[in-house]
mmCIF file of all heavy atoms in Angstrom:
data_model
loop_
_atom_site.group_PDB
_atom_site.id
_atom_site.type_symbol
_atom_site.label_atom_id
_atom_site.label_comp_id
_atom_site.label_asym_id
_atom_site.label_seq_id
_atom_site.Cartn_x
_atom_site.Cartn_y
_atom_site.Cartn_z
ATOM 1 N N LEU A 166 -15.424 3.666 0.533
ATOM 2 C CA LEU A 166 -15.609 4.062 -0.861
ATOM 3 C C LEU A 166 -14.350 4.722 -1.419
ATOM 4 O O LEU A 166 -13.993 4.512 -2.574
ATOM 5 C CB LEU A 166 -16.802 5.009 -0.992
ATOM 6 C CG LEU A 166 -17.064 5.549 -2.410
ATOM 7 C CD1 LEU A 166 -17.272 4.415 -3.402
ATOM 8 C CD2 LEU A 166 -18.260 6.506 -2.405
ATOM 9 N N ALA A 169 -12.053 2.024 -2.485
ATOM 10 C CA ALA A 169 -12.592 1.361 -3.673
ATOM 11 C C ALA A 169 -12.362 2.214 -4.919
ATOM 12 O O ALA A 169 -12.078 1.695 -6.002
ATOM 13 C CB ALA A 169 -14.081 1.079 -3.485
ATOM 14 N N ARG A 170 -12.459 3.530 -4.770
ATOM 15 C CA ARG A 170 -12.210 4.428 -5.899
ATOM 16 C C ARG A 170 -10.731 4.382 -6.300
ATOM 17 O O ARG A 170 -10.404 4.411 -7.489
ATOM 18 C CB ARG A 170 -12.621 5.847 -5.541
ATOM 19 C CG ARG A 170 -14.118 6.049 -5.383
ATOM 20 C CD ARG A 170 -14.442 7.438 -4.867
ATOM 21 N NE ARG A 170 -13.979 8.472 -5.786
ATOM 22 C CZ ARG A 170 -13.665 9.709 -5.423
ATOM 23 N NH1 ARG A 170 -13.754 10.059 -4.152
ATOM 24 N NH2 ARG A 170 -13.268 10.584 -6.312
ATOM 25 N N ALA A 173 -10.351 1.237 -8.191
ATOM 26 C CA ALA A 173 -10.954 1.343 -9.517
ATOM 27 C C ALA A 173 -10.038 2.095 -10.477
ATOM 28 O O ALA A 173 -9.882 1.712 -11.642
ATOM 29 C CB ALA A 173 -12.313 2.046 -9.421
ATOM 30 N N LEU A 183 -11.721 -4.979 -11.621
ATOM 31 C CA LEU A 183 -11.718 -4.694 -10.194
ATOM 32 C C LEU A 183 -12.557 -5.732 -9.466
ATOM 33 O O LEU A 183 -13.679 -6.042 -9.879
ATOM 34 C CB LEU A 183 -12.292 -3.300 -9.928
ATOM 35 C CG LEU A 183 -12.525 -2.916 -8.462
ATOM 36 C CD1 LEU A 183 -11.212 -2.852 -7.702
ATOM 37 C CD2 LEU A 183 -13.266 -1.576 -8.382
ATOM 38 N N LEU A 185 -14.122 -6.209 -5.729
ATOM 39 C CA LEU A 185 -14.395 -5.683 -4.399
ATOM 40 C C LEU A 185 -14.726 -6.866 -3.498
ATOM 41 O O LEU A 185 -15.658 -7.629 -3.779
ATOM 42 C CB LEU A 185 -15.572 -4.707 -4.435
ATOM 43 C CG LEU A 185 -15.419 -3.485 -5.350
ATOM 44 C CD1 LEU A 185 -16.706 -2.683 -5.355
ATOM 45 C CD2 LEU A 185 -14.248 -2.621 -4.916
ATOM 46 N N ALA A 218 -23.728 -0.936 -1.678
ATOM 47 C CA ALA A 218 -23.685 0.523 -1.742
ATOM 48 C C ALA A 218 -22.363 1.010 -2.329
ATOM 49 O O ALA A 218 -22.341 1.920 -3.167
ATOM 50 C CB ALA A 218 -23.889 1.107 -0.340
ATOM 51 N N VAL A 219 -21.264 0.400 -1.902
ATOM 52 C CA VAL A 219 -19.962 0.777 -2.444
ATOM 53 C C VAL A 219 -19.857 0.380 -3.910
ATOM 54 O O VAL A 219 -19.389 1.153 -4.752
ATOM 55 C CB VAL A 219 -18.829 0.125 -1.625
ATOM 56 C CG1 VAL A 219 -17.468 0.404 -2.261
ATOM 57 C CG2 VAL A 219 -18.854 0.627 -0.189
ATOM 58 N N THR A 220 -20.315 -0.821 -4.229
ATOM 59 C CA THR A 220 -20.234 -1.317 -5.603
ATOM 60 C C THR A 220 -21.019 -0.438 -6.563
ATOM 61 O O THR A 220 -20.534 -0.085 -7.644
ATOM 62 C CB THR A 220 -20.767 -2.760 -5.673
ATOM 63 O OG1 THR A 220 -20.039 -3.576 -4.761
ATOM 64 C CG2 THR A 220 -20.608 -3.319 -7.082
ATOM 65 N N ASP A 221 -22.220 -0.057 -6.181
ATOM 66 C CA ASP A 221 -23.047 0.792 -7.041
ATOM 67 C C ASP A 221 -22.376 2.139 -7.295
ATOM 68 O O ASP A 221 -22.404 2.661 -8.418
ATOM 69 C CB ASP A 221 -24.420 1.007 -6.412
ATOM 70 C CG ASP A 221 -25.279 -0.254 -6.420
ATOM 71 O OD1 ASP A 221 -24.915 -1.210 -7.139
ATOM 72 O OD2 ASP A 221 -26.299 -0.277 -5.700
ATOM 73 N N ALA A 222 -21.761 2.704 -6.251
ATOM 74 C CA ALA A 222 -21.105 4.000 -6.403
ATOM 75 C C ALA A 222 -19.908 3.900 -7.345
ATOM 76 O O ALA A 222 -19.683 4.776 -8.185
ATOM 77 C CB ALA A 222 -20.660 4.523 -5.038
ATOM 78 N N VAL A 223 -19.141 2.817 -7.231
ATOM 79 C CA VAL A 223 -17.975 2.632 -8.098
ATOM 80 C C VAL A 223 -18.419 2.423 -9.542
ATOM 81 O O VAL A 223 -17.846 2.998 -10.481
ATOM 82 C CB VAL A 223 -17.123 1.446 -7.617
ATOM 83 C CG1 VAL A 223 -16.044 1.101 -8.645
ATOM 84 C CG2 VAL A 223 -16.473 1.772 -6.278
ATOM 85 N N ARG A 224 -19.420 1.601 -9.740
ATOM 86 C CA ARG A 224 -19.900 1.341 -11.100
ATOM 87 C C ARG A 224 -20.449 2.599 -11.755
ATOM 88 O O ARG A 224 -20.319 2.793 -12.966
ATOM 89 C CB ARG A 224 -20.954 0.234 -11.076
ATOM 90 C CG ARG A 224 -20.358 -1.146 -10.890
ATOM 91 C CD ARG A 224 -21.416 -2.214 -10.727
ATOM 92 N NE ARG A 224 -20.823 -3.547 -10.724
ATOM 93 C CZ ARG A 224 -21.407 -4.625 -10.243
ATOM 94 N NH1 ARG A 224 -22.639 -4.539 -9.731
ATOM 95 N NH2 ARG A 224 -20.797 -5.796 -10.277
ATOM 96 N N GLU A 225 -21.058 3.452 -10.951
ATOM 97 C CA GLU A 225 -21.584 4.706 -11.495
ATOM 98 C C GLU A 225 -20.440 5.621 -11.932
ATOM 99 O O GLU A 225 -20.532 6.279 -12.967
ATOM 100 C CB GLU A 225 -22.444 5.401 -10.447
ATOM 101 C CG GLU A 225 -23.061 6.705 -10.946
ATOM 102 C CD GLU A 225 -23.974 7.350 -9.915
ATOM 103 O OE1 GLU A 225 -24.165 6.771 -8.827
ATOM 104 O OE2 GLU A 225 -24.504 8.441 -10.207
ATOM 105 N N GLU A 226 -19.376 5.652 -11.146
ATOM 106 C CA GLU A 226 -18.255 6.525 -11.463
ATOM 107 C C GLU A 226 -17.363 5.957 -12.563
ATOM 108 O O GLU A 226 -16.752 6.710 -13.327
ATOM 109 C CB GLU A 226 -17.413 6.767 -10.205
ATOM 110 C CG GLU A 226 -16.318 7.803 -10.396
ATOM 111 C CD GLU A 226 -15.679 8.219 -9.087
ATOM 112 O OE1 GLU A 226 -16.217 7.870 -8.010
ATOM 113 O OE2 GLU A 226 -14.640 8.911 -9.135
ATOM 114 N N TYR A 227 -17.305 4.615 -12.666
ATOM 115 C CA TYR A 227 -16.460 3.948 -13.668
ATOM 116 C C TYR A 227 -17.323 2.987 -14.484
ATOM 117 O O TYR A 227 -17.229 1.768 -14.351
ATOM 118 C CB TYR A 227 -15.320 3.193 -12.991
ATOM 119 C CG TYR A 227 -14.340 4.079 -12.268
ATOM 120 C CD1 TYR A 227 -14.548 4.442 -10.932
ATOM 121 C CD2 TYR A 227 -13.201 4.566 -12.910
ATOM 122 C CE1 TYR A 227 -13.658 5.273 -10.273
ATOM 123 C CE2 TYR A 227 -12.307 5.391 -12.256
ATOM 124 C CZ TYR A 227 -12.546 5.737 -10.936
ATOM 125 O OH TYR A 227 -11.649 6.548 -10.276
ATOM 126 N N PRO A 228 -18.192 3.522 -15.340
ATOM 127 C CA PRO A 228 -19.166 2.674 -16.036
ATOM 128 C C PRO A 228 -18.542 1.678 -17.014
ATOM 129 O O PRO A 228 -19.171 0.663 -17.334
ATOM 130 C CB PRO A 228 -20.046 3.695 -16.772
ATOM 131 C CG PRO A 228 -19.187 4.909 -16.922
ATOM 132 C CD PRO A 228 -18.340 4.946 -15.684
ATOM 133 N N LEU A 230 -15.691 0.045 -16.487
ATOM 134 C CA LEU A 230 -14.812 -0.875 -15.776
ATOM 135 C C LEU A 230 -15.558 -2.151 -15.394
ATOM 136 O O LEU A 230 -16.704 -2.104 -14.943
ATOM 137 C CB LEU A 230 -14.270 -0.201 -14.508
ATOM 138 C CG LEU A 230 -13.254 -0.989 -13.678
ATOM 139 C CD1 LEU A 230 -11.973 -1.218 -14.469
ATOM 140 C CD2 LEU A 230 -12.949 -0.248 -12.374
ATOM 141 N N VAL A 232 -16.404 -4.635 -12.918
ATOM 142 C CA VAL A 232 -16.387 -4.645 -11.452
ATOM 143 C C VAL A 232 -17.124 -5.873 -10.939
ATOM 144 O O VAL A 232 -18.286 -6.101 -11.268
ATOM 145 C CB VAL A 232 -17.050 -3.378 -10.871
ATOM 146 C CG1 VAL A 232 -17.011 -3.420 -9.346
ATOM 147 C CG2 VAL A 232 -16.369 -2.123 -11.391
#
Side-chain angles (χ1 to χ4, degrees):
L166 177 57
R170 291 173 61 206
L183 172 64
L185 301 176
V219 175
T220 304
D221 290 346
V223 170
R224 284 174 173 160
E225 181 177 358
E226 187 169 349
Y227 295 88
L230 184 64
V232 180

